[in-house]
Amino acid sequence: MRQLLRFKYLLFLFLLATTVSFTSCDKEMNVSLENPNENMGIVVVDSMTINTSTFQLLNMPSAGTGTLLVGKSTQPKVGSLKSSSYFLVQLQTLVNDIPTNAVFDSVNLILRPNRARYFYGDTTKAQTIAVHRVTEEIVTKDITNAIDNYNTPIYVTGPTIFNDQKFNFDATALGTKTFNPTIRSLDSISVRLNQSFGQEIFDMVRANDINVTSNESFQQYLKGLVLVPGSQNTAILGLSDTLQMNVNYSYVGSDGFLKRGAKVISAGGKAYQYNNIEHDRTGTAYASLNTTNREISSTATNGEVFIQAGGGLVAKMTIPSLNEFMYEENLAVNKVELIVETAGNNYGFYPTPNQLMLLIANSNGVPISYVRVPFSNSIQQATFIPGNDSGINGRYVFNLIDYIKNVNRPEYRGTSLLLSTASPALFGTANGTMIATENGKPKIKLNIVYTKFK
């Protein structure tokens, strides 16, 4: 008798495994263990409607990412994304260490690729970067003290600078550089700046001018610099925030030989280095998206939904029947997966994000929480799974078992899911991807496996 029961138990597990691996629209299998009071069904559901739209995030912090994003990238379906980078500068030393017989030679700004040698766009064409003098004090903004904290995203925790902020700068560039962005082998980019600008700093140091006796005074004199891409640029580049500006001079040493030196000015204050992001979607299906009209349904874009870091484009998802489903009695959810297929890949000019995450947004579309790793406080990040040449799309897979069990709690009422590039790439890159489509709809599927007790 015991062996018979063991056999039937193993048969039950086999049937369960077979059903879970099967994919269909609301399939059900009843399994009986020869007890009329223990009748239950194993059900797989993958037919829930998911309403999807492309959505514009607001209040995207872009300071202190460690990367100066500079450039412009244009894709026919989604338009252009342009990034300029602002930063403070400070004297590396506050002493007059320039030899008395030295004469000023030149001033140049040295830029280097960031550690990841990041790029987004076509790097086969020459790129141009212009250096401008900022004429307005770069300051942070604190939205956490607002009367309505309902509009503060979860990722904003204090004063910062946002990607849509601009500060005035001199329209005439201090210097311009056009170069070939061989980003994998590029060592540095040297931009020669205005001669009189460098001479002025040189003379101030030599004279112990009040503007160079402290970095606070120096930053009142030189409020910062901004790197602006050329209008014909085709790529956004990631540059290191450990840049330096050299005020170069030469002098005759005590040995009678000509020597060279430099007064070094470095980046000052990571909290004040930020990237200003602008987009132009004119002539695309997303042209109507802006800070006031923040959402466009996938039905208006032939099922296409675009996600992009930096600019703050995410996929907004609502599942109308999910709440009602979870109110059903006598069921136990065993497994929940959200599968998102993408039309992109993780190589080439426009790499797909390595990871995506899910934000939980309130009725105003403001992110108030994250979908977390089950039984953990860690933010869940779905890693890109590449497709193949046989027509299999790349995809991201999320485990939503915790989310679905909490979806009917009061704090989840009126919320939606926002699919975005994972942090910190959301704030420091421009990577994007188009969600794949099938029959004019986004290829996003929610698979739920549950046991129903009768």
Side-chain angles (χ1 to χ4, degrees), residues 40-55:
M40 57 185 173
I42 309 302
V43 185
V44 180
V45 177
D46 65 3
S47 58
M48 284 192 179
T49 299
I50 302 176
N51 296 327
T52 312
S53 58
T54 302
F55 187 78

Side-chain angles (χ1 to χ4, degrees), residues 150 360-362 368-369 406-415:
Y150 195 66
I360 301 172
N362 63 21
I368 56 173
S369 185
N406 293 315
V407 74
N408 282 331
R409 293 172 60 178
E411 59 266 36
Y412 281 68
R413 189 172 296 119
T415 62

